[in-house]
DNA sequence: GTCCTGGTGG
DNA sequence: CCACCAGGAC
């Protein structure tokens, strides 16, 4: 089966790109981020016409995550507090997580905070959010040991995931505290599916809209699939499809496809 | 020769429609209104590639007029105060007039204020603007007796220029003070080119974007060519091309074409 | 650069 | 309904 993750940067603006891509690419589960729409206004029918079940956690303007799946998902959850009652309700105000179970595997679709600039208030929120996420995943793992966690992590763990013109040191999405927070999560038992198949750098999933970044290939690999051991063993491929970034009015991110 | 007037409602948004229309329609002079762009940002090259000279009086966001002409124009003017030094400078803040001479004929391209609602401050401005326009034209006529005045007048002079569902009485664009102000201008020696050839009603040049007005043909004829006697005699046809209103993302106005 | 909102203008 | 802006986010 194929599980893809794609930060679509507004599902309403990108609807035709996403639908066309799904028609061209046989995807079982598509995890989207930055849908930027409340659930009532999500464009359901184009996905339903392709046979997808739809699971949503959206808000106005910002954030918002969605999963569309050919098979139905069980045990959907869209909040942190329902899994971790003691956690601050601030983490559920922004819609950044949706999870459900398919074939005994839990899919966790995440939109990690961007963090703005190192040292900013939003940066501190990102680090607190990642610490909270660790607790959340620990709880989930206790009941479902097989987890495919994917989404826009807004973190590049290695310098080879970042184009050469950037200086990763103290850069948002590359700073050591962010990387450490993500590594602390992975030590729960997750591994990067992409790195099972590809060890070289120069593969990117996001290019800033500004400064002609895509034309100059100044990208970052910040969209990931992290798998628990059994799933990692099963992984058959993990690839980045840069074609949709070449269309007119593209998302700044491209889809990453995991095959299990 | 053919002289067309078209309120394009943003030349940048409508560029492809206008260029395609010019390629399909052999127009010598196109007068545009509501270009909504400062002169530095006007998309010059598509017109230049078609062989047009370009004359501009634009502003940010609102209003803005332009003439493109296969032959060059002489004696361009884009202000009221330069013709009528005693007039209030408020009338030059909004870019609503551009005029130039071709073959001894002066073309005056106008975007008359909309007036918002009868009795409003904008309505009073419209009436003052029209009174000022009369003086302006009187001055122009003294040096150039042959004038083709065209543009978006935001006035329908007769009830048959307005769809049946509207109640013209005290309606903006149809109120008696507006009509009288326009008639006072026409008594300087102008006649409606369209009415030389067509006496029936039901011909419209503008349909509101709202309420599916075009589909229901709830239109108004508010875009006109007014000609001085010699030119009126020479007029060969005056037609409205509603085809561009059927395209996707159309202007709410369509071109009106005068043939001399 | 491209997206969103909320506001104005029509 | 459609276009513009400013301001914020990324």
């Amino acid at each position: 089966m194929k599980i893809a993750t794609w930060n679509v940067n507004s599902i309403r603006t990108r609807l035709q790109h996403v639908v066309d891509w799904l028609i061209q690419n046989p995807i079982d589960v598509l995890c989207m981020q930055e849908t930027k729409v409340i659930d009532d206004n999500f464009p359901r029918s184009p996905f339903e016409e392709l046979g997808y079940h739809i699971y949503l956690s959206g808000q106005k303007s910002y954030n918002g995550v969605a999963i569309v799946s050919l098979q139905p998902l069980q045990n959907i959850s869209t909040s942190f507090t329902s899994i971790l009652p003691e956690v601050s309700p601030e983490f559920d105000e922004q819609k950044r997580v949706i999870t459900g179970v398919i074939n005994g595997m839990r899919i966790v679709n995440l939109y990690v905070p961007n963090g703005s600039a190192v040292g900013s208030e939003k940066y501190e929120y990102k680090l607190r959010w990642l610490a909270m996420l660790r607790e959340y995943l620990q709880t989930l793992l206790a009941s479902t040991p097989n987890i495919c966690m994917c989404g826009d992590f807004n973190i590049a763990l290695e310098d080879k995931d970042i184009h050469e013109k950037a200086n990763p040191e103290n850069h948002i999405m590359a700073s050591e505290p962010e990387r450490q927070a993500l590594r602390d999560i992975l030590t729960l038992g997750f591994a990067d599916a992409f790195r099972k198949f590809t060890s070289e750098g120069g593969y990117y999933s996001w290019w800033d809209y500004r400064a002609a970044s895509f034309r100059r290939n100044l990208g970052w690999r910040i969209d990931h699939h992290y798998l628990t051991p059994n799933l990692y063993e099963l992984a058959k491929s993990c690839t980045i499809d840069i074609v949709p970034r070449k269309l007119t009015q593209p998302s700044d991110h491209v889809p990453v496809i995991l095959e299990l």
Side-chain angles (χ1 to χ4, degrees), chain A:
Chain A
M1 80 180 304
K2 287 188 174 174
I3 302 168
T5 178
W6 193 359
N7 180 322
V8 295
N9 190 11
S10 170
I11 186 57
R12 286 179 293 185
T13 301
R14 222 69 59 205
L15 181 60
Q16 205 49 57
H17 285 13
V18 174
V19 166
D20 290 349
W21 188 79
L22 282 174
I23 291 170
Q24 295 295 319
N25 296 272
I27 298 296
D28 298 276
V29 181
L30 175 61
C31 296
M32 290 176 269
Q33 304 87 37
E34 286 207 85
T35 53
K36 295 186 176 179
V37 66
I38 60 170
D39 297 352
D40 282 354
N41 294 342
F42 189 95
R44 301 184 68 91
S45 36
F47 294 98
E48 286 165 349
E49 282 162 23
L50 294 174
Y52 286 98
H53 298 83
I54 299 168
Y55 306 96
L56 302 173
S57 181
Q59 67 180 85
K60 192 160 69 163
S61 298
Y62 304 115
N63 314 311
V65 285
I67 301 177
V68 300
S69 173
L70 293 178
Q71 284 180 248
L73 302 188
Q74 282 84 47
N75 223 317
I76 302 292
S77 170
T78 61
S79 83
F80 292 113
T81 53
S82 62
I83 310 292
L84 282 182
E86 68 276 15
V87 102
S88 163
E90 72 170 327
F91 294 118
D92 277 343
E93 284 161 19
Q94 301 180 16
K95 303 305 183 189
R96 296 181 175 278
V97 63
I98 185 166
T99 178
V101 173
I102 179 171
N103 302 338
M105 159 180 64
R106 178 168 286 284
I107 293 175
V108 179
N109 175 18
L110 296 175
Y111 176 48
V112 176
N114 170 281
S116 192
V118 172
S120 68
E121 203 157 310
K122 290 194 170 78
Y123 179 77
E124 299 303 327
Y125 180 80
K126 182 178 192 173
L127 295 179
R128 281 187 288 125
W129 195 93
L130 289 164
M132 176 278 300
L133 179 65
R134 187 178 195 277
E135 305 306 305
Y136 170 82
L137 291 166
Q138 213 159 20
T139 307
L140 289 186
L141 282 164
S143 52
T144 327
N146 294 324
I147 293 186
C148 168
M149 165 173 68
C150 64
D152 175 2
F153 285 78
N154 272 315
I155 296 173
L157 265 190
E158 300 177 279
D159 289 356
K160 68 181 177 186
D161 295 324
I162 309 170
H163 66 85
E164 304 273 345
K165 292 240 174 183
N167 177 13
E169 208 165 328
N170 244 29
H171 195 300
I172 192 68
M173 302 188 292
S175 73
E176 191 47 34
E178 294 170 79
R179 286 176 169 178
Q180 191 54 49
L182 180 49
R183 278 189 224 108
D184 287 346
I185 287 166
L186 302 188
T187 55
L188 294 174
F190 291 95
D192 182 350
F194 185 80
R195 285 285 170 236
K196 176 174 177 181
F197 307 99
T198 307
S199 55
E200 323 90 76
Y203 290 91
Y204 309 131
S205 64
W206 171 79
W207 297 260
D208 199 312
Y209 282 126
R210 289 162 286 191
S213 302
F214 184 66
R215 188 184 53 73
R216 304 195 288 154
N217 196 26
L218 303 181
W220 293 60
R221 193 172 71 88
I222 58 179
D223 300 272
H224 309 293
H225 295 80
Y226 290 117
L227 304 178
T228 50
N230 288 344
L231 296 175
Y232 189 83
E233 279 307 306
L234 289 170
K236 288 206 205 44
S237 72
C238 187
T239 58
I240 300 174
D241 182 3
I242 69 161
V243 173
R245 185 67 235 241
K246 300 175 181 175
L247 304 176
T248 51
Q249 290 219 85
S251 171
D252 44 352
H253 295 251
V254 293
V256 184
I257 307 100
L258 168 72
E259 191 178 6
L260 283 177

